[in-house]
Structures are given as C-alpha cells and as structure tokens.
Amino acid sequence: MDEAHIKKILVLVEGAKTDVLLMNKIISSYPILDDYRIVSYCTNIYALYQEMMMAGQEDLEATDILLVLKSREKREENRKLFDEKYTDILLVFDLDPQDSRYNSDVLLALQKHFSDSSDMGKLYLNYPMVEAFYHLKSIPDDDYYHRMTALAELKNKKYKLRVQQETLGSDYRKFAVSRDQMTIVIRQNMAKAHGLQSDERIDWSHDGVTQEIDHLKVLQLQLALLEKEEQLQVLSTCVFLSPTIIPVF
C-alpha cells in the first residue's frame, strides 16, 4: 500500500479492558497497514451524549468530538492523541438499555450524527453490549440468528454470566482463535443484521452479507422490539467496523 493511501484511524471504545482486547483481537486477525489507535472512553454512550451537548451548547452539529475527548482526558499521552488529524473516527459503544439514563431519542440522534467515519465519525452500537461478540456456542452457530436477551436479564445483571456460560468452550480466550473463525463470526453478525433489515434469514456464507449495513435502520428495529417486547436481538456490530479496517472477505 502506498504511504499516501495509509489511513490514520482513531477507534474510541467504551470500556478499558474487554473492549480494547476485543478490538485488538479483531484487527490483528487481518493484515492491515493502516495506522490505528484504540482509546478507551471509560464510560457509556449516555455520558458521551451529555458531554457533547454541554460542549456544543445543546447542538450536536456544533460539537467537535476530539475536543470533547481531550477536555475530559486526564492522561497526557492520550490528550496528545486528540490533537492529531485522523482520516477516520470509529466509535464503539453498548446500547445498555438497563442504564438509568437510557433514552431512545438520544441513541437515534447519535446514530444519525455519527454516520460517516471520515466526517463526524461512525457509531457502532453493540446489542446489548460488547459481550455479544462472544455469544456463539459454536462457530458457526445456526441458533445465533434467533439469539435474544430480555431487558429483565440485563437489569438483573445476568447477561454477561450467560455469555460466559454459553460461549464456545466457556472461555473467551478459546473463542475465534483463527482468522477463519473470526471471519465466520463477522459474517454471522452481518447476516443477522441484514436479516433484521429485510425480515428474512440470510446465510452467513452468502456473498451479499458483506454489503454495507444500515446502522440506523438496525437501531430503529431494535428499539421497536425493545419497546414492544422488552427484548433485543443479540448482535455485535463492532465486528463490522468499516472497510477502513476490516477487508471484504
């Protein structure tokens, strides 16, 4: 790859441990030359919205995400990261409907705002949280297309335990240990997202699963399901990232 075409990518994740480890696991599974930085925000999507609104005087469009991040960062080495110029900004957060600050209008506003990685940034919401990535009992897992979680399960803090018990090998370290397995996990999530959008099941091996996902439509469908049935389809969108990192396979 020509140096002029190497992208400089900022990946902002919610958590300091699981999220960072997962992003490194996904990215390291594929040979890329792009320069990327993974930085933990250390709080959730609703706190991000509040800080953005304060910085932009109640106007998301008037807010510079890098300035918001720099203003709250106490680590000097990370503050310097937010002074740099990036070709792409990717934001990876959890839906967390059990949070006391949960607000569907906030989520929709942020998903609409963060729709372009090379402009404001692109938002990838995990349903219900980052652990959804590990919620396959086998690779591939035909039952994953129907795997759901209930709001009550999230409020009772039982979802993470369920994933730990049901994940392949009951050990995150044994999950998607090869590039081939990682590709299947990514494709299964893509197939599930396309199935949500089209209301018909698409097999993970189908060529069409690598087409761009409509993240706003997926969010709208998930919010409608949550409102009507107090359930969510388990879905890991952080594996999609964007063509800036994950190649088309």
Side-chain angles (χ1 to χ4, degrees):
M1 183 183 293
D2 189 290
E3 255 187 57
H5 294 95
I6 293 178
K7 295 177 178 292
K8 189 168 185 176
I9 304 163
L10 176 68
V11 184
L12 180 69
V13 300
E14 180 172 322
K17 187 177 180 182
T18 302
D19 305 58
V20 174
L21 287 173
L22 177 54
M23 288 301 100
N24 277 314
K25 181 183 181 75
I26 294 170
I27 294 170
S28 64
S29 295
Y30 302 91
I32 66 167
L33 295 177
D34 292 330
D35 179 17
Y36 66 91
R37 299 285 188 274
I38 301 174
V39 179
S40 173
Y41 183 61
C42 295
T43 189
N44 67 20
I45 190 78
Y46 307 107
L48 174 64
Y49 177 79
Q50 290 174 348
E51 292 188 359
M52 289 184 67
M53 292 299 283
M54 289 174 62
Q57 296 182 334
E58 305 297 314
D59 181 6
L60 280 179
E61 297 300 323
T63 307
D64 185 327
I65 184 64
L66 292 178
L67 290 179
V68 172
L69 296 173
K70 183 178 179 180
S71 68
R72 72 182 304 276
E73 181 58 62
K74 296 180 174 59
R75 296 162 292 185
E76 184 58 33
E77 64 274 18
N78 281 353
R79 286 176 61 84
K80 293 177 182 178
L81 288 176
F82 302 132
D83 286 330
E84 298 183 22
K85 300 293 184 183
Y86 295 95
T87 57
D88 298 87
I89 299 175
L90 312 177
L91 301 92
V92 179
F93 282 85
D94 299 342
L95 188 75
D96 281 341
Q98 75 282 4
D99 191 281
S100 61
R101 293 168 292 184
Y102 167 77
N103 186 311
S104 59
D105 290 336
V106 164
L107 294 170
L108 289 167
L110 289 172
Q111 191 70 75
K112 291 174 183 176
H113 180 71
F114 292 117
S115 61
D116 185 343
S117 65
S118 62
D119 187 15
M120 296 294 187
K122 187 159 186 177
L123 174 61
Y124 297 82
L125 283 170
N126 292 306
Y127 303 91
M129 56 188 64
V130 69
E131 283 77 10
F133 169 81
Y134 298 101
H135 207 171
L136 280 76
K137 298 179 181 181
S138 60
I139 300 176
D141 180 354
D142 286 342
D143 293 332
Y144 183 66
Y145 294 96
H146 310 292
R147 189 148 299 135
M148 303 180 75
T149 183
L151 181 59
E153 181 179 42
L154 298 168
K155 287 184 174 180
N156 292 327
K157 300 182 179 180
K158 297 291 181 64
Y159 179 71
K160 289 183 182 180
L161 176 60
R162 177 184 164 202
V163 176
Q164 290 169 0
Q165 293 173 338
E166 295 184 349
T167 190
L168 175 65
S170 301
D171 187 342
Y172 290 174
R173 294 170 298 180
K174 298 178 182 178
F175 188 87
V177 294
S178 69
R179 179 176 176 177
D180 287 344
Q181 287 187 336
M182 179 66 73
T183 297
I184 292 172
V185 173
I186 294 172
R187 291 182 69 106
Q188 279 218 263
N189 279 283
M190 286 182 164
K192 188 168 184 177
H194 281 300
L196 282 171
Q197 294 174 190
S198 63
D199 200 28
E200 64 178 76
R201 177 166 169 168
I202 302 173
D203 190 79
W204 65 267
S205 61
H206 192 278
D207 289 343
V209 301
T210 57
Q211 295 175 3
E212 183 70 18
I213 304 295
D214 185 341
H215 289 262
L216 180 59
K217 186 171 183 179
V218 169
L219 174 59
Q220 290 169 333
L221 291 166
Q222 290 276 45
L223 293 177
L225 181 62
L226 188 63
E227 176 70 22
K228 183 178 179 181
E229 301 181 16
E230 294 196 341
Q231 294 190 94
L232 284 171
Q233 290 280 357
V234 172
L235 182 67
S236 174
T237 70
C238 68
V239 299
F240 307 158
L241 292 179
S242 80
T244 54
I245 291 185
I246 299 299
V248 174
F249 28 72

